[in-house]
């Protein structure tokens, strides 16, 4: 794989990123230690942390956090009402976190909750018109922002990276017994 600038990407310790430095340090103090997993997992974790730190500018402008947008996006892409537990499964969030997010989104009139006629313990959540309009406005802006974040990586490499990460994700989901697509 090559970086957007044509430079070869690989042999992690040869790269100049933070994880490469950590790997070199471990190889100095423990020369026989296999740090290969760190070169992948460490980079995935570091990228995720940096992406979260960037705070997603379009979401921030809309007054949303990524977890709130994930709730709204889940309701929009599924196209129907969901229960809070279904939203939690779709967004990989705890029930308590989803409850908090739904409360905030309901206060902003972006979602509506209604009780179940048969079971009062169950709530059904749907997007309001304002919630749908917000998602439909923000989603293209968010995708443009994410495209800009990835602009330094060539199109072929992005496709390859997506396939490789998809394979890793699939393996982890199977290992953890998570529902799959």
């Amino acid at each position: 794989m090559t970086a957007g600038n044509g430079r070869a990407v690989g042999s992690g310790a040869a790269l100049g990123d933070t994880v490469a430095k950590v790997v070199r340090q471990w190889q100095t103090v423990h020369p026989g230690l296999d740090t290969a997993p760190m070169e992948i997992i460490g980079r995935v974790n570091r990228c995720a942390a940096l992406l979260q730190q960037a705070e997603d500018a379009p979401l921030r402008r809309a007054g949303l956090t990524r977890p709130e947008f994930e709730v709204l996006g889940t309701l929009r892409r599924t196209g129907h009402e969901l229960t809070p537990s279904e939203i939690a499964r779709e967004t990989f969030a705890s029930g308590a976190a989803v409850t908090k997010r739904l409360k905030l989104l309901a206060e902003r009139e972006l979602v509506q909750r209604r009780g179940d006629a048969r079971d009062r313990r169950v709530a059904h959540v749907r997007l309001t018109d304002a919630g749908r309009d917000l998602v439909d406005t923000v989603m293209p802006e968010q995708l443009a922002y994410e495209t800009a974040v990835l602009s330094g990586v060539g199109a072929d490499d992005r496709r390859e990276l997506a396939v490789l990460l998809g394979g890793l994700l699939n393996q982890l989901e199977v290992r953890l017994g998570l529902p799959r697509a």
Side-chain angles (χ1 to χ4, degrees):
M1 191 182 316
T2 58
N5 60 8
R7 199 180 90 223
V9 176
S11 84
L15 295 173
D17 62 37
T18 305
V19 172
K21 177 183 174 187
V22 170
V23 166
R24 284 191 302 273
Q25 289 170 333
W26 274 114
Q27 289 172 346
T28 299
V29 297
H30 274 286
L33 195 62
D34 180 10
T35 57
M38 184 183 299
E39 294 185 43
I40 297 168
I41 304 296
R43 285 190 174 94
V44 167
N45 287 337
R46 180 83 173 145
C47 285
L50 290 172
L51 287 169
Q52 287 176 346
Q53 206 174 71
E55 282 292 318
D56 302 312
L59 300 181
R60 189 174 57 249
R61 280 193 303 273
L64 294 169
T65 64
R66 179 167 279 277
E68 290 168 343
F69 188 70
E70 287 174 359
V71 169
L72 296 173
T74 296
L75 289 165
R76 181 66 172 126
R77 68 183 162 77
T78 60
H80 56 81
E81 292 182 338
L82 295 173
T83 64
S85 61
E86 290 170 329
I87 294 169
R89 273 193 305 278
E90 287 285 326
T91 61
F92 303 106
S94 70
V98 168
T99 298
K100 179 181 176 184
R101 291 173 194 143
L102 289 174
K103 181 179 183 291
L104 293 169
L105 293 169
E107 288 171 0
R108 292 182 59 191
E109 299 181 350
L110 299 173
V111 299
Q112 284 182 332
R113 300 170 84 153
R114 70 168 181 83
D116 189 284
R118 294 182 306 243
D119 187 346
R120 291 177 39 168
R121 297 170 296 174
V122 176
H124 297 274
V125 181
R126 71 170 192 84
L127 282 177
T128 62
D129 289 343
R132 186 190 65 247
D133 292 346
L134 182 61
V135 172
D136 288 352
T137 298
V138 172
M139 188 62 174
E141 295 172 12
Q142 182 63 24
L143 289 172
Y145 171 79
E146 291 175 4
T147 298
V149 167
L150 295 171
S151 67
V153 181
D156 290 342
D157 290 339
R158 284 195 305 267
R159 283 189 288 276
E160 182 179 356
L161 183 58
V163 168
L164 293 170
L165 289 172
L168 176 61
L169 179 59
N170 185 52
Q171 178 186 352
L172 292 170
E173 288 176 343
V174 167
R175 180 176 288 164
L176 296 172
L178 297 174
R180 298 179 48 220

